[in-house]
């Protein structure tokens, strides 16, 4: 393909990037005919996309041209949460929003809260202009914890950053542990490399409480109890020690603090490990033998396993496994949880987000994972002012945040002023005072790093903004103007933001403009000879402030909360649905019809014990709430664990609820993250 977008009569092909929160960050080619995007495809030349998109994103044009897309600014006319709006002009909306926010800011700007996550992973439409605006305003800061901060902070405590193997090299591994990841559903392009390895004779092992489509296609499925991964890692270490499958030279030169952990691991016999994890001792021994004796051995860890109380400690323990065996010596050995750290340079955030505009002010920080409690909190010296306004972009908290009953009550406050920048009337937009129509990835500029590979991608707009939609950046530019913010940075165009988002030394933007993607210069086997991005270059066992990692039991499990488990004996996990992306795409008919309806998978024994028939409507409940859905009586669920798949829009569920009615706002051991998969429930026929 030629350097520039190709033009062929009335047909153009435009280079784009998938904006979604997924490790794969695919390079896309958008075919435009007569100003309309008619096809979105994977770029065949991109080394990890290799021409394939997932089912969801291949429907990206269908989503963008969806008849229910919000295409003009909307102002609330019904009661809060009713989803009733009237169209207004941009000037009316922005003038009123600015006036309302100014009045609040005059009392205390911290009463204003931005709420955003990774609806788009783009650096421009993400926090680019938004953070500049909120920093200058002095609004509350948002702790963006809802997905990955337990594992991310844990990985950084161990390796010094969110860094790991390169996804392409899994093709050469001889053993792959797919740990807490349903790769076929949520990391498809990794799975392609895993299959290459499999065809070349590698063994694939899936470590996951659920018998996922990925687990079915691996040679072995280790169906441990949720939240027990830290114990399994310690049990594996025990076997590595007693069988002397350690790489003593690697340990001595590249790992700091091993003796203290060695001592701890020696207490985790296969029997103790098995009892904690709900496995057999032979499963533990066999897994350890495979891991200790196969070279190169690779781990694909994903965030699914860190959404429990001990998620941070578990990631630290698992991340040390390849340091004990020296798996890092080979480029097809080691571990990947996130590669986003490869893209980090201190300049990025400082230039893009301009924290200097705080000018010495230190606003309070609100954790996005406890938004339910925080919207309901009164002013206090410890908390600061009551939250009076929320500006939501790139997120759907009413559907995705834990303990929905409180989240909904918070967003339903008549005295809360809520602005939502969105493509659709989501559950959150239904609670807005103003909904502002946002452009999709087909309609705006952006630039992307990734967390599952090492390529920087450019996204060029393929079509003009639909209706009156505007990029997020433009909304914040316009608000800045109405606030009288005169710093030149508020006039930066999206192309300027894209050009300077990465340091010029790291990414040559002109090359990116030309080619659509560029590879970061990261070595193939980055830690073959140590060189972790820690102060001394060694992997860290005893991390400052965290100590030596240990197994931390769940908040809620039969073993750790026996009294609670008497009433709510089933552990519920709620992992992603294959055809949704968190709560995105739930309103795309062709995808929703593949998923059918919200389902709870339950093991036949657990169903029989409760008199629950296949396909029955059930009540799923605990102290926090109740949720009704159909059951799928299936061995995809292990005994004692139920699986409530996908983050459905509440309004598509029975009784207008979803699975987050049941999840809690308790946080992880490290990283202040939510514990979605640490949740006891009971199930009964409805
Ligand atoms: N199709 C699709 N793709 C997605 C997403 C989506 O919603 N849909 N979400 C995207 C996002 S936001 C993210 S963060 C990424 C990664 O998102 P992840 O949450 O890592 O998603 P999965 O890879 O599906 O992995 C979750 C797996 O972990 C398992 N699991 C649950 N609890 C435990 C546990 O305690 N231990 C272990 N070992 N396993 C456990 C679940 O059964 C599930 O199979 O995927 C992204 N990709
Ligand atoms: N029970 C349970 N809950 C979970 C999870 C789980 O596994 N189980 N997963 C958790 C995880 S891993 C995550 S990451 C969070 C995700 O939670 P969110 O980050 O809120 O992700 P989405 O639900 O995909 O919502 C993103 C929204 O952003 C909008 N959007 C996309 N692009 C743009 C844009 O350019 N501009 C604007 N203004 N809007 C845009 C989309 O239309 C969509 O409504 O959910 C968490 N919640
Ligand atoms: Mo996520």
């Amino acid at each position: 393909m030629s350097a520039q977008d190709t033009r062929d009569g009335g047909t153009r092909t435009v280079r784009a990037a998938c904006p979604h929160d997924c490790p794969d960050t695919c390079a896309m080619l958008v075919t435009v005919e007569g100003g309309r995007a008619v096809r979105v495809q994977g770029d065949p030349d991109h080394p990890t996309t290799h021409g394939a998109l997932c089912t969801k994103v291949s429907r990206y044009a269908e989503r963008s041209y969806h008849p229910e897309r919000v295409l003009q600014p909307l102002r609330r006319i019904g009661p809060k949460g009713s989803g009733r709006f009237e169209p207004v002009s941009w000037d009316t909306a922005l003038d009123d929003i600015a006036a309302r926010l100014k009045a609040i800011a005059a009392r205390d700007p911290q009463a204003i809260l931005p709420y955003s996550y990774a609806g788009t992973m783009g650096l421009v439409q993400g926090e680019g202009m938004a953070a500049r605006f909120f920093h200058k305003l002095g609004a509350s800061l948002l702790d963006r914890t809802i997905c990955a901060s337990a594992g991310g902070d844990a990985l950084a405590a161990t390796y010094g950053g969110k860094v790991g193997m390169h996804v392409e090299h899994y093709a050469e591994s001889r053993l792959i542990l797919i740990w807490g990841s349903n790769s076929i559903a949520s990391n498809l392009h990794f799975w392609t490399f895993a299959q290459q390895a499999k065809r070349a004779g590698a063994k694939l092992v899936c470590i996951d409480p659920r018998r996922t489509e990925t687990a079915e296609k691996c040679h072995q499925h280790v169906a441990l109890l949720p939240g027990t991964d830290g114990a399994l890692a310690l049990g594996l270490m025990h076997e590595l020690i007693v069988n002397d499958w350690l790489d003593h030279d690697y340990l001595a030169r590249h790992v700091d603090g091993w003796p203290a952990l060695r001592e701890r691991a020696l207490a985790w016999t296969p029997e103790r490990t098995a009892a904690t994890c709900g496995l057999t001792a032979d499963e533990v021994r066999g897994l350890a033998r495979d891991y200790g004796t196969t070279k190169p051995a690779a781990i694909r860890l994903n965030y699914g396993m860190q959404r429990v109380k001990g998620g941070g400690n578990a990631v630290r323990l698992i991340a040390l496994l390849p340091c004990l065996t020296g798996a890092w010596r080979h480029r097809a050995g080691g571990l990947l949880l996130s590669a986003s750290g490869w893209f980090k340079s201190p300049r990025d955030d400082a230039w893009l987000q301009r924290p200097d505009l705080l000018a010495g002010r230190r606003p309070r920080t609100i954790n996005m994972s406890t938004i339910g409690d925080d919207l309901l909190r009164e002013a206090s010296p410890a908390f600061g002012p009551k939250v009076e306004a929320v500006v939501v972009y790139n997120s759907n908290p009413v559907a995705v945040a834990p303990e929905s009953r409180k989240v909904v009550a918070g967003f339903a406050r008549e005295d809360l002023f809520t602005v939502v920048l969105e493509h659709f009337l989501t559950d959150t937009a239904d609670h807005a005072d103003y909904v502002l129509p946002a452009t999709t990835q087909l309609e705006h500029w952006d630039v992307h790093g990734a967390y599952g590979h090492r390529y920087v991608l450019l996204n060029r707009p393929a079509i003009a903004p639909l209706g009156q939609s505007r990029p997020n950046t433009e909304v914040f530019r316009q608000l800045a103007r109405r606030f009288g913010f005169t710093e030149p940075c508020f006039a930066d165009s999206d192309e300027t933001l894209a050009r300077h988002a990465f340091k010029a030394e790291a990414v040559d933007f002109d090359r990116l403009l030309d080619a659509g993607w560029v590879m970061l210069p990261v070595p193939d086997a980055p830690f073959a000879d140590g060189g972790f991005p820690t102060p001394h270059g060694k992997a860290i066992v005893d991390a400052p402030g965290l100590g030596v990692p240990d197994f931390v039991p769940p908040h809620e499990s039969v073993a750790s909360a026996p009294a609670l488990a008497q009433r709510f004996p089933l552990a519920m996990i709620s992992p992603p649905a294959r055809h949704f992306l968190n709560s995105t795409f739930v309103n795309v008919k062709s995808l929703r019809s593949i998923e059918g309806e919200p389902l709870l998978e339950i093991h036949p024994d657990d169903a029989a014990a409760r008199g629950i028939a296949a396909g029955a409507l059930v009540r799923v409940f605990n102290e926090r709430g109740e949720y009704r859905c159909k059951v799928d009586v299936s061995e995809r669920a292990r005994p004692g664990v139920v699986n409530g798949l996908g983050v459905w829009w509440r309004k598509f569920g029975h009784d207008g609820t979803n699975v987050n009615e049941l999840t809690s706002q308790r946080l992880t051991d490290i990283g202040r993250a939510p514990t979605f998969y640490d949740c006891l429930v009971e199930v009964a026929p409805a």
Side-chain angles (χ1 to χ4, degrees):
M1 159 162 259
S2 82
Q4 288 293 317
D5 304 339
T6 55
R7 280 159 202 278
D8 166 21
T11 303
R12 293 187 301 139
T13 304
V14 181
R15 290 184 178 282
C18 175
H20 288 297
D21 187 353
C22 168
D24 297 12
T25 308
C26 289
M28 309 195 300
L29 300 176
V30 183
T31 309
V32 182
E33 283 176 14
R36 191 177 168 92
V38 294
R39 204 166 42 248
V40 178
Q41 291 166 288
D43 181 348
D45 298 331
H46 187 265
T48 63
T49 305
H50 42 69
L53 292 180
C54 65
T55 316
K56 305 176 291 297
V57 175
S58 56
R59 311 280 164 89
Y60 198 81
E62 180 182 347
R63 184 179 182 276
S64 292
Y65 291 109
H66 195 297
E68 286 158 17
R69 180 100 181 258
V70 176
L71 292 176
Q72 51 193 336
L74 300 174
R75 179 167 65 193
R76 173 164 75 94
I77 48 173
K80 260 289 162 77
S82 64
R84 285 172 45 215
F85 299 98
E86 62 181 358
V88 291
S89 72
W90 270 107
D91 276 341
T92 305
L94 290 171
D95 288 349
D96 192 29
I97 291 166
R100 298 282 298 266
L101 295 181
K102 267 189 206 167
I104 295 168
R107 293 191 295 278
D108 187 342
Q110 297 177 97
I112 300 170
L113 176 69
Y115 196 101
S116 68
Y117 200 64
T120 169
M121 300 272 292
L123 295 177
V124 175
Q125 305 307 333
E127 303 312 321
M129 198 51 79
R132 294 177 177 187
F133 173 74
F134 290 112
H135 282 145
K136 176 73 189 176
L137 182 61
S140 282
L141 302 172
L142 186 72
D143 197 5
R144 292 182 171 80
T145 57
I146 201 147
C147 171
S149 58
D153 286 8
L155 202 64
T158 312
Y159 296 162
K162 292 161 95 172
V163 290
M165 279 178 67
H166 306 307
V167 64
E168 301 93 314
H169 298 153
Y170 282 86
E172 302 158 16
S173 305
R174 302 295 301 163
L175 172 73
I176 306 179
L177 307 188
I178 301 178
W179 198 325
S181 173
N182 182 6
S183 315
I184 293 179
S186 56
N187 187 190
L188 187 64
H189 296 79
F190 157 76
W191 180 249
T192 307
F193 296 114
Q195 271 181 305
Q196 282 176 29
K198 191 179 174 190
R199 280 195 296 273
K203 180 170 182 182
L204 269 48
V205 181
C206 185
I207 304 175
D208 192 314
R210 176 172 183 249
R211 191 160 185 82
T212 60
E213 45 273 67
T214 307
E216 275 171 347
K217 294 205 164 60
C218 287
H219 297 96
Q220 189 187 348
H221 176 207
V222 178
L224 81 182
L225 287 167
T228 64
D229 302 86
L232 181 58
L234 284 162
L236 297 181
M237 287 180 190
H238 177 279
E239 291 298 285
L240 298 178
I241 298 165
V242 300
N243 293 293
D244 199 19
W245 292 321
L246 301 172
D247 182 333
H248 294 282
D249 174 62
Y250 196 91
L251 267 171
R253 290 197 294 136
H254 306 309
V255 182
D256 186 34
W258 164 238
L261 181 57
R262 182 178 184 281
E263 200 66 22
R264 177 161 286 170
L266 281 173
W268 284 87
T269 60
E271 288 71 25
R272 179 182 176 199
T273 304
T276 304
C277 300
L279 301 171
T280 65
D282 280 344
E283 277 178 293
V284 178
R285 281 195 197 92
L287 185 60
R289 172 173 299 279
D290 282 343
Y291 189 69
T293 61
T294 314
K295 291 190 191 330
I299 299 175
R300 180 59 171 107
L301 192 61
N302 210 342
Y303 287 111
M305 48 68 64
Q306 48 97 69
R307 308 192 200 293
V308 293
K309 181 180 178 188
N313 269 277
V315 167
R316 291 177 66 204
L317 289 164
I318 296 165
L320 286 164
L321 287 170
C323 302
L324 308 193
T325 59
W328 284 114
R329 289 186 191 275
H330 194 290
R331 70 177 191 172
L335 174 143
L336 174 63
L337 170 60
S338 170
S340 67
W342 295 125
F343 298 85
K344 273 277 168 232
S345 58
R347 220 291 287 290
D348 307 339
D349 289 355
W351 186 85
L352 255 186
Q353 306 193 7
R354 297 291 305 269
D356 58 297
L357 294 171
L358 284 169
R361 295 167 296 174
R362 300 183 59 192
R364 59 131 176 242
T365 299
I366 287 187
N367 186 339
M368 70 188 303
S369 302
T370 55
I371 187 67
D373 280 340
D374 290 336
L375 286 181
L376 297 176
R377 243 185 258 288
E378 295 298 327
S380 73
F383 180 61
K386 187 169 180 172
V387 177
E388 291 183 63
V390 188
V391 181
V392 181
Y393 50 101
N394 305 337
S395 185
N396 184 11
V398 172
V400 305
E403 207 174 352
S404 311
R405 199 176 271 183
K406 290 184 176 167
V407 180
V408 172
F411 276 98
R413 273 174 44 200
E414 286 290 341
D415 65 341
L416 181 73
F417 180 63
T418 305
V419 179
V420 178
L421 285 62
E422 250 302 345
H423 301 145
F424 294 104
L425 288 181
T426 60
D427 293 327
T428 305
D430 280 348
H431 288 80
D433 293 277
Y434 280 98
V435 183
L436 302 178
T439 45
T440 71
Q441 191 80 340
L442 300 183
E443 301 149 64
H444 56 223
W445 280 96
D446 223 320
V447 63
H448 291 252
Y451 61 99
H453 63 62
R454 52 179 159 160
Y455 299 88
V456 173
L457 280 77
L458 180 74
N459 184 75
R460 284 173 186 266
I463 57 171
L466 296 191
Q468 297 179 34
S469 63
R470 290 182 179 174
N472 295 342
T473 44
E474 184 56 18
V475 173
F476 293 108
R477 261 183 222 112
Q478 292 284 332
L479 287 175
R481 203 167 57 80
R482 283 169 171 78
F483 270 78
F485 298 164
T486 52
E487 285 77 2
C489 71
F490 290 108
D492 282 346
S493 69
D494 284 6
E495 263 186 84
T496 303
L497 291 171
R499 175 173 289 274
H500 298 289
F502 291 99
K503 267 196 207 160
E505 305 90 279
V507 179
D508 175 345
F509 191 74
D510 291 319
R511 238 184 87 211
L512 190 61
L513 272 178
D514 205 38
W517 44 268
V518 295
M519 191 178 90
L520 290 182
V522 184
D524 265 0
F527 312 127
D529 194 21
F532 293 93
T534 52
H536 45 36
K538 296 181 178 190
I540 295 173
V541 174
D542 189 349
L546 298 174
V548 176
D550 202 351
F551 169 56
V552 176
H555 290 295
E556 302 186 1
S557 73
V558 172
S560 63
L564 188 70
Q566 294 244 304
R567 288 187 294 148
F568 309 114
L570 297 169
M572 186 189 79
I573 58 172
S574 47
R578 181 166 177 182
H579 299 98
F580 301 151
L581 199 294
N582 300 319
S583 78
T584 304
F585 293 105
V586 177
N587 64 324
V588 175
K589 251 199 197 115
S590 63
L591 295 170
R592 191 168 71 249
S593 60
I594 305 176
E595 290 295 330
E597 63 177 302
L599 286 177
L600 185 81
E601 294 171 350
I602 186 167
H603 188 271
D605 295 349
D606 289 326
R610 290 166 178 77
I612 294 168
L617 189 66
V618 291
R619 281 170 52 221
V620 193
F621 57 98
N622 59 22
E623 279 172 336
R624 291 175 289 271
E626 175 172 320
Y627 165 61
R628 290 198 306 158
C629 65
K630 274 201 185 151
V631 283
D632 181 5
V633 177
S634 160
E635 301 211 351
R636 285 199 184 278
R638 60 160 285 161
V641 181
V642 290
N643 313 321
L645 296 189
V647 189
W648 282 74
W649 285 16
R650 290 167 60 83
K651 55 181 146 187
F652 289 124
H654 286 277
D655 313 324
T657 57
N658 74 12
V659 75
N660 279 321
E661 285 290 310
L662 304 165
T663 52
S664 89
Q665 294 182 73
R666 283 159 138 177
L667 302 176
T668 49
D669 52 350
I670 296 172
R672 312 160 307 283
T675 54
F676 290 113
Y677 305 167
D678 185 337
C679 176
L680 285 176
V681 301
E682 180 53 298
V683 184

